[in-house]
Amino acid sequence: MGIVEEAHNVKVLGSGSRFIVLAHGFGTDQSVWKHLVPHLLDEFRVILYDNMGAGTTNPDYFDFERYSTLEGYAYDLLAILEELRVDSCIFVGHSVSAMIGTVASISRPDLFNKIILISASPRYLNDRDYFGGFEQEDLDQLFDAMASNYKSWCSGFAPMAVGGDMESVAVQEFSRTLFNMRPDIALSVLQTIFKSDMRQILCMVTVPCHIIQSMKDLAVPVVVAEYLHQHVGSESIVEVMSTEGHLPQLSSPDVVVPVILKHIRHDIAA
């Protein structure tokens, strides 16, 4: 196993001939895909990895400067694909990883057959002609709460993000992975995500994009999915599911897994 693979806890599972990469979002790790993975093993070689900064990675490897932009994560993704000698893959990215995959695909479109974006946003802050869902004041309060008492913040944020009560298995699971992150790293990662603005690069995307979104999501309004659809340079399709929450693959797998499988197996109709 190479250095990059080891640092990112890379696992390659399954016996298929084609590669599929599953990339998690903020506050989770590769375990967020546990309901999807069993459905892919006969058809694909499934690549799972953890973003640097996840609670499962070594915090000593987290370079605050490198990961102050999404490009740092995109370089990691490309390094993983190179180390595994992947020449083409289907990329499934959740939340920030959807945008990370999009960034990576601009520099190496040959490596990506299609990108499936789940709960993705190119910008979270509202702008003059753009509704991202957040005002700067909202984010300042969020960051202050994280910095003052991380454990308490996790307890409040997890049910809001997942869209369920504290007793639900999905909320408990997200709380666990969220709390596994080192607090200063979690704050830095979330600040990077919330200050990112990828709107200008969307027109440079050439890989087909399948955009999947919950009907109700604390972090991403439905209009953002439509914005992505209208502004990516490649062919794209949007599916809004009847689910609630920012982690539907964890909280509503019965609905979400069949939708993801459909988009994996079927290309956008000409």
Side-chain angles (χ1 to χ4, degrees):
M1 183 181 273
I3 293 169
V4 178
E5 289 173 72
E6 195 171 343
H8 291 273
N9 304 315
V10 172
K11 292 188 186 67
V12 184
L13 310 170
S15 54
S17 55
R18 293 182 298 155
F19 284 104
I20 188 163
V21 178
L22 306 181
H24 70 84
F26 170 76
T28 59
D29 56 41
Q30 59 188 262
S31 66
V32 80
W33 301 110
K34 63 186 179 182
H35 299 297
L36 176 63
V37 170
H39 299 275
L40 300 172
L41 298 177
D42 292 340
E43 227 173 312
F44 295 96
R45 296 193 70 199
V46 181
I47 298 170
L48 294 158
Y49 72 98
D50 295 331
N51 281 323
M52 203 50 66
T56 44
T57 61
N58 184 340
D60 294 341
Y61 292 161
F62 189 83
D63 180 331
F64 284 86
E65 192 174 333
R66 177 185 175 92
Y67 300 113
S68 64
T69 68
L70 299 192
E71 281 78 7
Y73 297 97
Y75 292 138
D76 287 351
L77 169 59
L78 293 174
I80 290 167
L81 296 180
E82 187 176 337
E83 207 164 86
L84 293 174
R85 299 197 170 128
V86 173
D87 56 7
S88 179
C89 73
I90 292 172
F91 180 84
V92 183
H94 172 244
S95 193
V96 67
S97 277
M99 298 318 300
I100 290 165
T102 305
V103 172
S105 80
I106 292 170
S107 57
R108 289 296 306 274
D110 54 304
L111 294 178
F112 298 87
N113 178 259
K114 71 169 82 166
I115 300 171
I116 296 172
L117 304 91
I118 303 168
S119 312
S121 176
R123 178 183 165 104
Y124 294 88
L125 267 175
N126 298 332
D127 204 0
R128 201 172 54 199
D129 297 316
Y130 174 83
F131 183 69
F134 294 87
E135 294 292 346
Q136 187 60 53
E137 192 183 340
D138 303 327
L139 299 184
D140 293 341
Q141 288 174 355
L142 181 84
F143 300 145
D144 287 348
M146 282 182 87
S148 62
N149 188 332
Y150 184 67
K151 187 169 188 177
S152 168
W153 176 80
C154 289
S155 301
F157 182 73
M160 283 198 305
V162 174
D165 58 49
M166 278 308 289
E167 303 307 309
S168 84
V169 175
V171 170
Q172 289 178 358
E173 181 67 11
F174 183 49
S175 299
R176 179 186 68 80
T177 54
L178 196 58
F179 193 60
N180 275 346
M181 294 181 80
R182 206 173 78 187
D184 59 329
I185 292 175
L187 178 58
S188 176
V189 172
L190 204 58
Q191 286 173 331
T192 294
I193 291 168
F194 275 129
K195 78 174 189 208
S196 65
D197 187 351
M198 315 309 288
R199 291 175 299 172
Q200 301 307 314
I201 64 149
L202 295 177
C203 62
M204 299 158 69
V205 178
T206 57
V207 176
C209 291
H210 297 242
I211 301 153
I212 302 173
Q213 176 63 37
S214 282
M215 191 168 61
K216 190 176 173 192
D217 179 344
L218 165 91
V220 185
V222 171
V223 289
V224 171
E226 188 55 35
Y227 181 92
L228 283 170
H229 178 46
Q230 297 296 340
H231 289 82
V232 288
S234 59
E235 57 179 354
S236 65
I237 189 170
V238 178
E239 180 156 354
V240 177
M241 303 175 294
S242 61
T243 50
E244 284 191 23
H246 190 59
L247 297 97
Q249 74 276 42
L250 194 62
S251 57
S252 306
D254 294 353
V255 174
V256 178
V257 168
V259 171
I260 298 174
L261 291 173
K262 178 180 69 180
H263 286 279
I264 287 168
R265 290 171 181 152
H266 299 287
D267 295 335
I268 299 169

